[in-house]
């Protein structure tokens, strides 16, 4: 391989930071979800690199579990967005400032 | 440098560039297409790191299912389309915070001297991964299946929410 674990972790943390910046800087609900998906992928990448470094398969199992989590999160987040759009809301996160009521 | 190592850096560069483009495009369709490229490259990265099963699942689940769902929702809802990258002023503060996070993560990752050793070239057979997943982690697999079922029920509930005639026509 010739790739040290620290380089894998550096790539994963860079992807995590890109996802975090995407989740914080964007106003569209959809792009916030994309940023969260990037952060989850970065965590999976760190898990897979750790599995290779430690020579066991626990990290790969964790990466597969993270994928199931991300699928549930994306489905529910997008359904909430469709529900909100149907109720007349926009996809702009600035409009989401109520816990209840309207 | 071995071929696998070169492939790792190539795929990492493609993934990070596509993720950076996805984070800054204002047109949501362009952003999601860049995200698909990033997820495809991350599937390749998983395969290079000796994890063909998570790599294949990454391509099938993320790039094939989740991101297509995102594209479908964008086209269904007709989200407003902007052009070009985000204004730099809005990115400035998150970028500073992100850079600080990256530096601290990098210092933490580099603090371990064992992390500087080259990784071995190994490939895990999908059957062995499945044995670990359903052997040691059966409880987590069950928890994820219950989570997916709960998400399915919630999506059905949200999708079927009827308009309430006593509430001024607002959805229930």
């Amino acid at each position: 391989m010739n790739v040290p674990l620290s380089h894998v972790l550096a790539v994963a943390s860079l992807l995590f930071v890109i996802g975090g910046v995407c989740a914080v800087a964007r106003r569209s609900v959809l792009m916030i979800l994309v940023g969260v998906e990037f952060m989850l992928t970065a965590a999976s990448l760190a898990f897979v690199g750790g599995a290779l470094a430690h020579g066991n398969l626990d990290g790969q199992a964790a990466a597969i579990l993270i994928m199931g989590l991300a699928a549930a999160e994306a489905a529910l987040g997008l359904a909430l967005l469709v529900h909100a759009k149907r109720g007349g809301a926009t996809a702009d996160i600035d409009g989401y400032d109520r816990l209840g009521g309207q | 440098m071995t071929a696998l190592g070169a492939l790792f850096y190539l795929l990492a560069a493609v993934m990070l560039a596509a993720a950076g483009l996805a984070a800054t495009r204002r047109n949501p369709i362009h952003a999601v297409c860049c995200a698909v490229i990033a997820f495809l490259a991350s599937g390749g990265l998983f395969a290079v790191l000796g994890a063909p099963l998570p790599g294949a699942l990454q391509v099938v689940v993320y790039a094939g299912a989740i991101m297509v769902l995102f594209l479908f929702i964008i086209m269904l809802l007709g989200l407003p389309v902007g052009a070009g990258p985000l204004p730099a002023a809005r990115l400035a503060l998150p970028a500073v915070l992100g850079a600080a996070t990256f530096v601290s993560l990098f210092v933490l990752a580099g603090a371990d001297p064992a992390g500087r050793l080259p990784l071995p070239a190994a490939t895990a057979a999908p059957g062995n991964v499945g044995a670990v997943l359903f052997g040691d982690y059966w409880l987590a697999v069950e928890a994820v299946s219950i989570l997916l079922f709960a998400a399915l029920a919630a999506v059905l509930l949200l999708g079927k929410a009827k308009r309430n005639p006593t509430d001024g026509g607002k959805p229930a």
Side-chain angles (χ1 to χ4, degrees):
Chain A
M1 265 300 276
N2 273 346
V3 176
L5 178 63
S6 57
H7 288 196
V8 179
L9 291 179
V11 169
S13 41
L14 205 48
L15 184 65
F16 186 85
V17 164
I18 289 175
V21 168
C22 182
V24 171
R26 303 299 297 253
R27 293 219 183 106
S28 160
V29 175
L30 198 105
M31 290 314 296
I32 293 174
L33 281 173
V34 171
V36 174
E37 302 287 338
F38 279 148
M39 294 165 89
L40 287 168
T41 301
S44 314
L45 193 60
F47 267 120
V48 170
L52 184 59
H54 292 286
N56 58 28
L57 294 174
D58 297 350
Q60 297 198 18
I64 292 175
L65 294 174
I66 288 175
M67 265 171 232
L69 187 86
E73 173 254 332
L76 193 50
L78 291 173
L80 277 170
L81 177 61
V82 171
H83 183 70
K85 280 288 276 191
R86 219 191 265 167
T90 60
D92 196 341
I93 200 70
D94 291 341
Y96 292 74
D97 54 358
R98 285 169 191 272
L99 279 177
Q102 299 181 11
Chain B
M1 180 182 296
T2 59
L4 268 184
L7 201 55
F8 172 83
Y9 290 114
L10 179 69
L11 284 169
V14 169
M15 181 184 76
L16 292 175
L21 281 176
T24 52
R25 296 300 99 178
R26 274 168 68 199
N27 186 330
I29 294 203
H30 293 176
V32 169
C33 288
C34 289
V36 168
I37 295 173
F39 286 129
L40 287 174
S42 70
L45 270 184
F46 284 1
V48 167
L49 289 173
L53 179 64
L57 283 177
Q58 179 86 2
V59 171
V60 171
V61 174
Y62 264 105
I66 296 182
M67 298 325 281
V68 170
L69 192 64
F70 274 86
L71 277 178
F72 177 76
I73 294 293
I74 291 172
M75 293 178 187
L76 180 75
L77 297 182
L79 293 182
V81 171
L86 282 182
R90 208 200 293 173
L91 277 173
L93 183 60
V96 170
L97 291 175
T101 312
F102 174 67
V103 168
S104 43
L105 283 174
F106 192 73
V107 168
L108 274 177
D112 183 13
R116 295 187 202 113
L117 301 175
L119 292 174
T123 305
N128 296 340
V129 180
V132 169
L133 193 58
F134 290 102
D136 295 350
Y137 292 98
W138 64 270
L139 193 59
V141 171
E142 292 301 320
V144 167
S145 74
I146 291 172
L147 179 74
L148 280 169
F149 179 73
L152 174 69
V155 167
L156 276 176
L157 185 73
L158 287 172
K160 291 184 84 151
K162 293 201 178 78
R163 289 177 180 278
N164 188 352
T166 62
D167 194 23
K170 293 197 182 79

